[in-house]
Amino acid sequence: MTENKKSRSITRRQALGAMAGTAAVLGTPALIRPAKAADPIKIGVLSPVTGAWTVYGQAHSRGFELAVEEINAAGGVLGRPIEMILADYQTDQRLVVEQANRLLRQEKVDLLAGTFSSADRNAAGPVVKAADKILLYPTWYEGQIKDYYPGVCNPNIFMFGPEPTQQVWPFMEYMVSNHGKKFYMIGSDYAWPRVTNLFTKEKLQELGGEVVAEVYIPFNTPQYESVLRDIREKKPDIIFHSLTGSDTVNFAQQFHAAGMSKDFTYWTVDDEEVVTSGLGPEVSAGHFVSFDYFMTISHPNNKAFLERYKAKYGPDALMNTVGVGMYNAAHMGALAIAKAGKVETAAIREGLKELTFDKAPQGPVKMRGLDNQIVVPSYLMKVRAGWTSVNDMFEEVQSVPSVEPKDARCDLPL
Amino acid sequence: MTLEAHSAANDAHHAPLRARLIHGEDLAAIVLFLALAIVPLVISGYVVYILPQYMLLGLLAMSLAILWGYGGIVSFGQAAFFAIGAYSIGLVMKYASLPVNPAYIGILLGTTGAGLAALVIGYFLFSAGVRSTYFVVATLALSIIVEQTVKSFSNITGGWNGLYVDRMTVSLGSLYELSLFDDMPMYYTVLLVVFVVYVVTVAVMRSPFGKIVIGVRENEDRMLALGFNVPAYKTLLFGLSGLLAGVAGAFYATHANFAHPSNAGVLFSTQVVIWVAVGGRRSLIGAFAGAIIVASLSNYLSSIKAIQNYWPLLQGLIFIAAIILFREGLAGLVESLFQKQKHASAP
Amino acid sequence: MDTLISVITDTVLITLVLALAAFGLAIIYGLIGVINMGHGAMLTLGAYFTWSLTRHGMPFVASVLLSASAVGTVGLVFEHLIIRHFYNRPFDTLLLTWAFFLVATEVIKIVFGTDFRNVARPIEGAIDIGIYRIPAYRTIVGGLSILLILSTAFILYKTSLGIKIRAMVQNREMAGLLGLNVAFMYKCVFGFGSFIAGLAGGLIAPMYSVDPYMGNTFLVRSFFVVIVGGIGQVLAGTLFGSFTIGGLETVLALFSDQVIAQIAVFFIAVVLLRFRPQGVFTGR
């Protein structure tokens, strides 16, 4: 029968192809490796291009890409261009381990940058420890505690995003005096919200406030009726919010639909441009948000930065604190290598310590040598009513040009 | 030919080939394991690092293959047992101070824990005659329950931030100690473990136990009528499958230095189903190879910028093809290749 | 007392929204025995189509209906091309519908992008009960849910098509022998179930974050609703199952934290799965 014949030839080809495929995969590194070492300085970037957090992946990788372009346009580092090698870990921590190793061992990159969430970074921790290579981490996070070594408190990992004492503490007094002392804390159930709440509580109690409730929600919870009821009963002044992902949107929407927006102040440490875009102007109006960077901050560095960014990616392109974290990481990494004079881990580490970067979009930043934590400005913004795009989304309420964070809870100095 | 008739013909086609398939399988297994043994001597670098992980994923795929291919029971929850193995070794190595090598305890705990959990759940569901289609949904719930539980006890497990796991050491009392920190010793240790587990599993599935399980898959009512305690066999099979997944998880955690709730989740569980569908559910070596091939391919393709965004879609389409057209997966394709050669050489 | 009223209204609304989300699955699983693992993806598709249409200015109601029809069509095409060859192999339909989910989700990401989307609520405002305010839109969706279930009940029990479908469910072979066009009715059921899933997706879109995985949140819950309610008990079963799953979670969350409540509900659902009789459907 003709059908059988057809399937037979496909079968043979397919089977041979499968076997050849395995051989090819195993043999690929041997085939592709060039004979002599390449000229560029290679930086491996781990980004969630696909998978659950693909929404964040774009700004994340673009921030780094733009910086690399700028560095190369200015002549590179030590006379060599920077080559960015992007690896998609599909928002899967198992693949962070896989791709980090591939970048280091197969692509032979000189250092790593990226990962997005703390879980991703913690997966990469052991890898950079074993390979003795540096990881530049861009995202706002919960701070460093020894227990989570080697994902934190790792001399090779440098944090370019703010931690709670930078993101929350500077504005506690303002919020408490202007909006009330009773906090209702709601967050996703994992380390970042818990530790953030811990620090917030500490400061709050100093100011004479109180936490009326602390609620942790498992990921992917669609219905918030019981929480909303609890909020009404406990009558807080401020809803302090650290949910992540789609839960953030679900909660905010239901909160607003229940007409509660006008009765409570809503302060979030999670809703940057990506999430607030998802909320829409109705639901997000009046929310307080605090980060080290917003697209609408008026620092002159930012204007210049956004001009270049939009020239490359379009007038509607979105940027956020994480993208800027990557941008700063790239530039500071390059500066550190230049300072060190060679591409070698210990030297770059030294180069990064106490390094300042004046051109950072949010204003000058400094990498603290004591615990590898960036010292950044901090901004408290309010979501503008009726915003139309990321370009007019936030208006400034308060800002601090530089916030020295609390010492990391590691064996210091790193 | 309609799709239905094509598949039915396919299935009938393979029943009498069992004898040939077994010999073919052994040959393929020998070739594959020999190749795996030689790889580190020929290639160095990343491949030597990553292959043990893929071999362990192959073991995980095997755990589903014995359930699905031999027993006709689909499970969307193998990752739950994998995670039990991973967290057992991680937690023991982190918190316990023992006179004996903590890794051994961790592996033992993870393996038996996973196996026991599977036995209990299997007994609970099969003894009530829960039909296989409902069973699938229960395994889905299992993945979610394990993932949530691990996430919740975050002060012990690290929750969503994950758990760091050291590389284990292989030790013989205080006489001999080999750290598996370097690629080569780790590679060969994992290869040895995987090989032994493979051989044992094949032996079990070719024993009378395996034959009865196949009988249950073919015609459950007839087996019941013949007096076999069908629920007991299903339960034991599920227990074995949990055990295998637990072993895979334990070694995986110490290899990757990391255990994470996503190791237990639905997405990972369903990934295992794809591996087995592509590799071949009725062939243990097929499922094993399927995991290695798909994982390698995924690794390679996700680094190519042009394809990155489309690879998950492609995987979905390959999966559909594997269910409709290539029901026996790659193993089936290879098998028909050899079968044709045999026909060609016959007078 | 106020708390009690609030708990009751919350439970009712949760039950009805869950029932709406699960209904498409109940229809397909209950009537033709296909475990539609792609149900979540159909919900998501309905939400995205609605988003796309409302963004281009189409009124909400029209958008939702058109989206539902589109999803129904997609379901029909999928049934015709692939599923109808595998009705007597429940595992394969399960896997194929799962493959549908994989492919559909990726296509959604490619076509619609991966950003969080939102659909504006067509009706703002809330209804006051005592000191509590219940969102108006949510209440309307709850009402629509009941309406939908009642309409389907009417179709199944009072129309000739419905009688034929029920006959087919009872005994497929007999129905075929008696001259009923079984293949056609399977198509009707699968298409209708997909339509309902798309409709649910469009209706709930204003209440949730529209992202490529939004349907999945409801997938497992929908399965439990159907299993607890009883396969084949499409109407009363869906309501009862939704009440159990949704209501239980609400009540448990009163006494412990959300995470424990969720684990407990899934755990109880698995236990119920074991003890619950097999439902109307046999022999598949």
Side-chain angles (χ1 to χ4, degrees):
Chain A
M1 289 186 280
T2 42
E3 207 164 26
N4 264 352
K5 229 183 236 154
K6 202 162 137 207
S7 54
R8 229 181 288 152
S9 49
I10 292 173
T11 298
R12 184 174 297 142
R13 244 186 283 133
Q14 288 254 1
L16 286 174
M19 293 193 285
T22 325
V25 165
L26 296 178
T28 296
L31 292 170
I32 287 186
R33 193 110 321 278
K36 76 171 192 249
D39 222 12
I41 298 175
K42 296 196 204 174
I43 306 187
V45 174
L46 292 155
S47 197
V49 178
T50 62
W53 279 325
T54 164
V55 285
Y56 293 109
Q58 207 173 59
H60 185 265
S61 49
R62 281 180 174 179
F64 203 85
E65 202 173 50
L66 179 65
V68 169
E69 201 178 83
E70 290 173 2
I71 295 167
N72 287 344
V77 181
L78 303 176
R80 302 162 64 182
I82 301 218
E83 186 187 339
M84 168 180 159
I85 303 181
L86 178 67
D88 172 21
Y89 61 87
Q90 302 176 38
T91 319
D92 185 344
Q93 284 74 27
R94 167 175 81 87
L95 296 179
V96 170
V97 179
E98 190 189 84
Q99 292 297 318
N101 274 286
R102 188 181 64 83
L103 287 170
L104 288 168
R105 294 166 187 262
Q106 192 170 322
E107 301 286 349
K108 305 261 196 282
V109 299
D110 297 301
L111 59 135
L112 290 174
T115 65
F116 175 74
S117 76
S118 285
D120 311 339
R121 182 201 65 233
N122 289 348
V127 181
V128 297
K129 171 179 159 222
D132 194 31
K133 288 278 191 280
I134 289 176
L135 170 68
L136 307 171
Y137 177 71
T139 317
W140 80 98
Y141 75 119
E142 63 275 7
Q144 308 186 67
I145 307 175
K146 214 160 86 170
D147 299 7
Y148 291 110
Y149 176 80
V152 290
C153 298
N154 186 331
N156 283 351
I157 301 184
F158 288 83
M159 311 297 189
F160 286 85
E163 43 92 281
T165 63
Q166 295 168 298
Q167 204 185 357
V168 177
W169 278 12
F171 310 114
M172 285 297 289
E173 222 183 294
Y174 170 86
M175 292 300 282
V176 169
S177 351
N178 288 291
H179 295 280
K181 296 186 172 187
K182 298 207 265 183
F183 274 46
Y184 188 101
M185 298 179 156
I186 174 168
S188 289
D189 191 14
Y190 70 112
W192 172 66
R194 284 180 185 272
V195 179
T196 302
N197 286 344
L198 196 73
F199 280 113
T200 307
K201 231 191 302 187
E202 201 183 298
K203 198 61 160 188
L204 184 63
Q205 274 153 7
E206 248 176 63
L207 296 167
E210 70 168 295
V211 174
V212 298
E214 205 177 324
V215 177
Y216 295 103
I217 308 283
F219 292 125
N220 296 320
T221 297
Q223 320 259 48
Y224 291 91
E225 276 84 354
S226 43
V227 176
L228 295 178
R229 189 182 333 112
D230 198 39
I231 293 176
R232 284 195 215 97
E233 278 167 21
K234 299 253 162 66
K235 300 203 203 313
D237 300 310
I238 297 181
I239 313 286
F240 186 71
H241 162 287
S242 52
L243 288 168
T244 56
S246 53
D247 296 321
T248 261
V249 179
N250 288 340
F251 174 73
Q253 279 187 338
Q254 290 173 37
F255 181 78
H256 182 76
M260 291 167 79
S261 293
K262 52 183 186 22
D263 300 326
F264 305 97
T265 305
Y266 194 99
W267 183 10
T268 166
V269 283
D270 177 82
D271 299 358
E272 35 65 78
E273 279 81 354
V274 170
V275 176
T276 308
S277 300
L279 288 176
E282 283 255 7
V283 173
S284 61
H287 286 186
F288 284 94
V289 193
S290 52
F291 279 109
D292 62 321
Y293 173 83
F294 291 89
M295 276 181 88
T296 50
I297 63 182
S298 54
H299 198 283
N301 285 1
N302 193 27
K303 270 188 79 188
F305 167 72
L306 284 177
E307 252 171 50
R308 293 194 300 269
Y309 184 71
K310 290 184 183 182
K312 187 168 164 78
Y313 296 109
D316 296 323
L318 184 155
M319 180 39 74
N320 60 13
T321 160
V322 182
V324 163
M326 286 294 266
Y327 178 84
N328 293 345
H331 274 291
M332 291 175 81
L335 287 170
I337 295 174
K339 195 163 128 192
K342 50 183 168 165
V343 185
E344 189 256 313
T345 298
I348 303 175
R349 262 209 308 265
E350 277 313 300
L352 276 168
K353 290 195 190 286
E354 305 304 324
L355 184 69
T356 55
F357 180 45
D358 294 322
K359 297 256 184 46
Q362 65 264 67
V365 300
K366 182 182 84 164
M367 176 54 69
R368 193 161 74 173
L370 177 71
D371 52 6
N372 292 4
Q373 174 64 37
I374 194 117
V375 179
V376 276
S378 197
Y379 293 85
L380 177 69
M381 308 287 250
K382 197 168 171 186
V383 178
R384 187 170 291 162
W387 60 260
T388 57
S389 77
V390 285
N391 300 310
D392 63 354
M393 199 181 267
F394 298 103
E395 51 192 4
E396 192 176 308
V397 176
Q398 255 207 346
S399 68
V400 183
S402 171
V403 183
E404 193 80 26
K406 225 178 151 180
D407 287 358
R409 291 177 285 172
C410 314
D411 291 329
L412 302 172
L414 285 181
Chain B
M1 242 197 216
T2 62
L3 274 172
E4 191 181 309
H6 180 86
S7 308
N10 229 349
D11 282 356
H13 198 40
H14 284 92
L17 285 166
R18 190 148 323 282
R20 230 170 299 174
L21 181 58
I22 287 176
H23 295 314
E25 236 193 303
D26 288 344
L27 184 63
I30 292 173
V31 167
L32 186 59
F33 279 109
L34 265 174
L36 286 171
I38 296 176
V39 162
L41 307 171
V42 175
I43 312 175
S44 64
Y46 182 55
V47 175
V48 180
Y49 167 79
I50 200 69
L51 263 182
Q53 269 187 32
Y54 293 164
M55 286 193 259
L56 292 166
L57 296 180
L59 213 59
L60 178 61
M62 262 173 55
S63 80
L64 179 61
I66 61 172
L67 205 56
W68 185 10
Y70 283 74
I73 303 168
V74 180
S75 160
F76 269 61
Q78 293 308 98
F81 304 116
F82 185 83
I84 291 176
Y87 274 92
S88 295
I89 196 177
L91 292 172
V92 168
M93 284 178 82
K94 179 167 178 176
Y95 292 110
S97 43
L98 301 158
V100 189
N101 188 337
Y104 288 176
I105 304 291
I107 294 169
L108 196 65
L109 210 63
T111 311
T112 49
L116 263 170
L119 275 175
V120 168
I121 295 164
Y123 174 71
F124 182 67
L125 293 174
F126 290 130
S127 63
V130 167
R131 247 184 291 131
S132 306
T133 44
Y134 296 14
F135 183 75
V136 176
V137 180
T139 58
L140 205 61
L142 184 65
S143 260
I144 297 176
I145 290 173
V146 172
E147 191 183 10
Q148 286 285 46
T149 309
V150 167
K151 270 194 265 186
S152 310
F153 292 94
S154 49
N155 39 348
I156 306 175
T157 64
W160 190 250
N161 271 21
L163 182 70
Y164 171 68
V165 182
D166 255 318
R167 277 288 174 93
M168 63 179 278
T169 54
V170 174
S171 59
L172 281 171
S174 46
L175 296 169
Y176 175 73
E177 217 179 76
L178 174 68
S179 162
L180 297 187
F181 184 78
D182 291 316
D183 287 347
M184 290 287 252
M186 180 48 119
Y187 185 96
Y188 283 108
T189 305
V190 169
L191 180 61
L192 186 64
V193 168
V194 167
F195 180 67
V196 167
V197 172
Y198 173 77
V199 167
V200 169
T201 308
V202 166
V204 168
M205 297 318 285
R206 285 183 195 170
S207 72
F209 171 78
K211 296 201 169 56
I212 295 171
V213 163
I214 294 174
V216 168
R217 181 195 78 211
E218 295 293 316
N219 193 332
E220 191 168 328
D221 294 324
R222 185 184 61 181
M223 295 306 279
L224 276 169
L226 285 171
F228 286 105
N229 186 349
V230 167
Y233 279 95
K234 283 187 176 178
T235 303
L236 279 171
L237 184 66
F238 194 50
L240 180 63
S241 140
L243 196 129
L244 286 178
V247 173
F251 279 97
Y252 177 87
T254 182
H255 182 280
N257 296 121
F258 197 62
H260 190 263
S262 62
N263 291 142
V266 173
L267 281 174
F268 191 42
S269 276
T270 50
Q271 185 69 265
V272 183
V273 177
I274 295 178
W275 293 333
V276 177
V278 169
R281 71 192 84 151
R282 293 197 224 237
S283 161
L284 295 184
I285 199 68
F288 181 76
I292 296 180
I293 291 173
V294 177
S296 307
L297 209 58
S298 191
N299 184 343
Y300 179 62
L301 289 175
S302 65
S303 62
I304 301 177
K305 202 151 183 206
I307 305 185
Q308 255 170 13
N309 284 313
Y310 301 101
W311 168 239
L313 174 62
L314 193 58
Q315 246 198 65
L317 294 170
I318 293 176
F319 184 48
I320 294 182
I323 299 168
I324 300 177
L325 299 170
F326 307 111
R327 289 180 58 75
E328 300 303 323
L330 287 171
L333 290 176
V334 172
E335 183 217 324
S336 19
L337 177 75
F338 284 133
Q339 188 217 341
K340 227 155 318 92
Q341 289 200 338
K342 262 208 166 84
H343 279 172
S345 56
Chain C
M1 190 55 193
D2 279 331
T3 313
L4 186 62
I5 295 178
S6 178
V7 171
I8 292 175
T9 45
D10 284 346
T11 308
V12 168
L13 284 175
I14 289 179
T15 302
L16 291 175
V17 171
L18 191 54
L20 177 66
F23 197 46
L25 179 69
I27 290 171
I28 293 180
Y29 195 1
L31 295 180
I32 58 178
V34 170
I35 302 176
N36 184 12
M37 297 287 280
H39 174 71
M42 290 177 179
L43 273 167
T44 310
L45 261 176
Y48 268 95
F49 284 144
T50 305
W51 169 77
S52 184
L53 291 170
T54 51
R55 241 181 51 158
H56 288 105
M58 191 181 280
F60 184 72
V61 176
S63 304
V64 171
L65 285 174
L66 201 60
S67 306
S69 309
V71 178
T73 311
V74 169
L76 270 175
V77 169
F78 182 62
E79 194 271 354
H80 184 75
L81 287 178
I82 298 178
I83 294 289
R84 72 181 161 108
H85 303 284
F86 294 93
Y87 280 128
N88 61 339
R89 313 165 77 104
F91 276 140
D92 288 351
T93 53
L94 187 154
L95 292 172
L96 286 168
T97 50
W98 176 253
F100 173 83
F101 156 75
L102 291 172
V103 171
T105 306
E106 292 308 315
V107 171
I108 286 175
K109 284 195 224 168
I110 292 170
V111 171
F112 294 107
T114 52
D115 296 330
F116 289 132
R117 306 287 181 200
N118 72 314
V119 176
R121 211 161 296 114
I123 298 168
E124 292 293 341
I127 302 169
D128 290 303
I129 293 189
I131 62 164
Y132 293 113
R133 321 191 66 217
I134 303 170
Y137 183 66
R138 187 169 281 252
T139 313
I140 291 176
V141 170
L144 283 173
S145 173
I146 298 179
L147 201 66
L148 200 62
I149 294 178
L150 288 175
S151 318
T152 310
F154 180 79
I155 296 175
L156 273 182
Y157 288 94
K158 297 283 186 200
T159 65
S160 62
L161 177 64
I163 294 171
K164 286 182 194 157
I165 289 177
R166 282 191 298 124
M168 176 193 74
V169 166
Q170 296 273 20
N171 193 330
R172 182 181 164 189
E173 234 180 291
M174 267 303 253
L177 287 172
L178 287 174
L180 294 175
N181 189 343
V182 173
F184 173 71
M185 284 189 290
Y186 268 60
K187 275 196 167 49
C188 283
V189 173
F190 199 88
F192 185 60
S194 310
F195 174 85
I196 297 287
L199 185 71
L203 283 174
I204 69 175
M207 300 195 295
Y208 299 110
S209 157
V210 178
D211 65 79
Y213 296 100
M214 69 180 287
N216 267 25
T217 321
F218 289 102
L219 179 66
V220 180
R221 285 187 173 83
S222 298
F223 271 119
F224 283 133
V225 164
V226 172
I227 288 171
V228 168
I231 321 279
Q233 316 279 34
V234 172
L235 308 159
T238 305
L239 282 171
F240 174 70
S242 304
F243 174 71
T244 310
I245 301 296
L248 204 59
E249 209 174 318
T250 310
V251 170
L252 282 175
L254 281 175
F255 304 113
S256 64
D257 65 67
Q258 293 271 354
V259 183
I260 308 275
Q262 222 186 70
I263 298 178
V265 169
F266 281 10
F267 190 71
I268 292 173
V270 174
V271 171
L272 279 171
L273 187 159
R274 182 205 197 260
F275 291 112
R276 172 104 199 149
Q278 307 295 287
V280 174
F281 235 29
T282 50
R284 270 191 191 270

